[in-house]
C-alpha cells in the first residue's frame, strides 16, 4: 500500500497544515493539524459545563472486574441528572466511584442504585 492510497482525517475543529516533503508533494497529516480558533470557544464551553457539574465520590465494596464496573455504572447512570460515572477499580477491595451530576444526588438514591447492581456503598 502506498501513501497515496491513505486518506488523512483532520479532527473536527482543526485546520490541516500543508507540509511539503523533499519532492514538493503534499505530505500533510492529521497529527500536524492545528486547532482552529473557533474550536477553542467550544472547548471553553465544554470546560465550563464540567465546572458546573457536582462531583461526589463513593466507596463501593465487592467489585472485582470490568463487568462489575459496567453494572454499577449503568445503575448510577440511570439516576436523573447523572452526567458521568468513573470507577477506580480495586478488585476485591473498596473501589472509588466518582459520579458527576447536574445537581447533588441523595445518598440513599446512590446507595440503592449500587445495591441494585449487587454491591454496597461503604462510605460517602
Amino acid at each position: 500500500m502506498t501513501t497515496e492510497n491513505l486518506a488523512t482525517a483532520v479532527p473536527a475543529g482543526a485546520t490541516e497544515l500543508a507540509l511539503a516533503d523533499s519532492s514538493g508533494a503534499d505530505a500533510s497529516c492529521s497529527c500536524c493539524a492545528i486547532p482552529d480558533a473557533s474550536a477553542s470557544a467550544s472547548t471553553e464551553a465544554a470546560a465550563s459545563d464540567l465546572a458546573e457539574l457536582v462531583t461526589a465520590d463513593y466507596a463501593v465494596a465487592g467489585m472485582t472486574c470490568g463487568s462489575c464496573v459496567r453494572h454499577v455504572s449503568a445503575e448510577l447512570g440511570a439516576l436523573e441528572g447523572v452526567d458521568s460515572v468513573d470507577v477506580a477499580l480495586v478488585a476485591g477491595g473498596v473501589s472509588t466511584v466518582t459520579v458527576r451530576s447536574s445537581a447533588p444526588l441523595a445518598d440513599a438514591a446512590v446507595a440503592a442504585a449500587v445495591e441494585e447492581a449487587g454491591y454496597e456503598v461503604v462510605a460517602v
Side-chain angles (χ1 to χ4, degrees):
M1 176 181 264
T2 64
T3 57
E4 291 81 30
N5 295 337
L6 296 176
T8 59
V10 178
T15 303
E16 187 174 11
L17 295 177
L19 303 175
D21 64 12
S22 59
S23 66
D26 183 11
S28 60
C29 65
S30 62
C31 67
C32 295
I34 58 171
D36 188 352
S38 63
S40 65
S42 63
T43 303
E44 290 171 8
S48 173
D49 290 344
L50 286 177
E52 294 175 13
L53 294 176
V54 177
T55 301
D57 291 329
Y58 302 91
V60 177
M63 292 191 287
T64 60
C65 65
S67 182
C68 301
V69 170
R70 283 190 299 281
H71 287 113
V72 169
S73 296
E75 289 294 333
L76 289 171
L79 294 175
E80 186 174 338
V82 171
D83 183 70
S84 67
V85 178
D86 294 311
V87 178
L89 179 65
V90 177
V94 177
S95 301
T96 301
V97 178
T98 302
V99 180
R100 288 179 192 78
S101 57
S102 57
L105 300 172
D107 291 338
V110 171
V114 170
E115 287 174 14
E116 180 68 25
Y119 308 95
E120 178 186 8
V121 173
V122 294
V124 177

